[in-house]
């Protein structure tokens, strides 16, 4: 069964901490994406990567960075967490040229 | 900027009812429209639509696309409590670059009461 795995289901971090959210896929997909999901706002694209070591900003990249050193792993980094980054974070992947994304189960991050 | 609008934003029905969820879009270089179901965790894929007028069907769920009027509907007949979820509509288009990506609507929260 193909999978996108997010390392943590729930996280609580303090304001100012550096936070790493990890995502691993086992489908050999080239493209990977990070979204955040908030009530009333839906899914918003933070960053995406079309291949190893490549990254592009999405619609709301401010306050975030990403790392893609290996094809199967895409990390989202909050350099200095703030309370407005409290959200559900969803990772997704897809094969190049295909429309269907496969999602991870999400990480619910609370910044206090 | 690509835009996807879903309606209604929330809906409460009784088991056995039929529901219709709506999705309209504006996107550059439309490629496909996708429906996902999201319960407590990962959105799971339901349908992908690329051609107008061709209904996709899976059990009690069906969906159709109108590329002229730029909308899609998702129908659920004989609803069950297990259909309670957020239904997401997403459109694949090419905007501001050479690669296609999905733009999501805000979702419709469906609650089916016994």
């Amino acid at each position: 069964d193909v999978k996108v795995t997010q390392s943590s289901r729930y996280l609580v971090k303090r304001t100012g901490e550096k936070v790493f959210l990890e995502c691993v896929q086992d489908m050999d997909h080239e493209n990977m994406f990070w979204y955040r999901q908030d009530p009333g706002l839906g899914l918003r694209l933070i960053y995406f990567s079309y291949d190893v070591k490549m990254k592009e900003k999405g619609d709301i990249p401010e306050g975030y960075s990403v790392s893609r050193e290996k094809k199967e792993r895409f990390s989202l980094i909050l350099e200095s967490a703030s309370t407005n980054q409290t959200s559900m974070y969803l990772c997704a992947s897809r094969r190049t040229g295909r429309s269907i994304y496969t999602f991870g189960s999400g990480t619910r991050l609370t910044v206090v | 900027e690509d835009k996807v609008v879903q309606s209604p934003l929330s809906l409460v029905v009784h088991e056995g009812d039929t529901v219709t969820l709506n999705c309209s879009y504006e996107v550059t270089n439309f490629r496909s429209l996708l429906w996902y179901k999201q319960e407590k965790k990962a959105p799971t894929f339901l349908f992908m639509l690329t051609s107008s007028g061709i209904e996709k069907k899976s059990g009690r769920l069906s969906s159709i696309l109108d590329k002229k009027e730029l909308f899609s509907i998702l129908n659920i007949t004989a609803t069950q409590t297990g259909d309670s979820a957020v239904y997401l509509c997403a459109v694949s288009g090419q905007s501001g670059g050479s690669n296609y990506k999905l733009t999501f609507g805000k979702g419709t929260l469906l609650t089916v009461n016994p």
Side-chain angles (χ1 to χ4, degrees):
Chain A
D1 194 17
V2 294
K3 264 191 182 170
V4 177
T5 303
Q6 294 185 230
S7 54
S8 303
R9 191 88 176 92
Y10 298 95
L11 271 181
V12 180
K13 296 291 182 182
R14 294 193 182 278
T15 301
E17 275 193 79
K18 190 168 186 175
V19 181
F20 293 85
L21 302 183
E22 305 288 345
C23 175
V24 177
Q25 50 95 3
D26 65 1
M27 296 166 284
D28 202 35
H29 285 174
E30 295 84 8
N31 307 158
M32 296 186 75
F33 304 82
W34 275 106
Y35 288 86
R36 64 177 284 177
Q37 185 176 28
D38 301 287
L41 297 177
L43 272 76
R44 294 179 292 166
L45 182 63
I46 305 171
Y47 265 96
F48 56 105
S49 168
Y50 284 114
D51 210 335
V52 179
K53 302 217 187 266
M54 295 175 65
K55 59 185 178 184
E56 290 194 41
K57 293 179 180 179
D59 300 318
I60 51 162
E62 296 78 20
Y64 303 95
S65 62
V66 290
S67 172
R68 183 113 182 256
E69 295 297 317
K70 294 186 177 181
K71 189 175 186 180
E72 67 270 19
R73 185 180 296 270
F74 192 35
S75 303
L76 180 69
I77 303 156
L78 286 66
E79 295 290 341
S80 177
S82 64
T83 54
N84 64 12
Q85 293 178 309
T86 292
S87 185
M88 168 69 87
Y89 289 88
L90 288 165
C91 175
S93 73
R94 71 162 184 202
R95 193 169 300 284
T96 297
R98 306 293 296 273
S99 292
I100 300 172
Y101 289 26
T102 301
F103 283 88
S105 294
T107 296
R108 186 165 293 282
L109 172 68
T110 302
V111 182
V112 297
Chain B
E1 185 179 324
D2 296 345
K3 190 190 293 187
V4 178
V5 178
Q6 292 185 244
S7 64
L9 292 182
S10 66
L11 187 57
V12 180
V13 300
H14 290 290
E15 267 192 318
D17 288 351
T18 292
V19 298
T20 298
L21 310 183
N22 304 292
C23 177
S24 64
Y25 63 90
E26 296 173 24
V27 66
T28 306
N29 293 331
F30 173 89
R31 191 178 191 189
S32 57
L33 184 144
L34 290 82
W35 285 97
Y36 283 84
K37 177 183 181 182
Q38 185 180 24
E39 294 171 269
K40 291 298 183 183
K41 38 188 183 177
T44 54
F45 171 75
L46 294 175
F47 298 112
M48 183 172 73
L49 303 152
T50 56
S51 301
S52 272
I54 299 174
E55 185 182 54
K56 292 280 183 92
K57 199 169 169 63
S58 176
R60 296 177 294 102
L61 278 66
S62 63
S63 184
I64 198 160
L65 174 67
D66 185 328
K67 288 168 74 173
K68 183 179 175 187
E69 299 297 329
L70 307 183
F71 78 91
S72 173
I73 59 172
L74 175 67
N75 279 321
I76 309 174
T77 59
T79 52
Q80 302 171 357
T81 55
D83 295 326
S84 295
V86 174
Y87 290 84
L88 297 168
C89 174
V91 176
S92 177
Q94 188 178 36
S95 178
S98 60
N99 291 296
Y100 287 86
K101 56 184 175 71
L102 285 185
T103 300
F104 284 84
K106 294 180 181 180
T108 294
L109 173 61
L110 174 65
T111 303
V112 182
N113 290 325

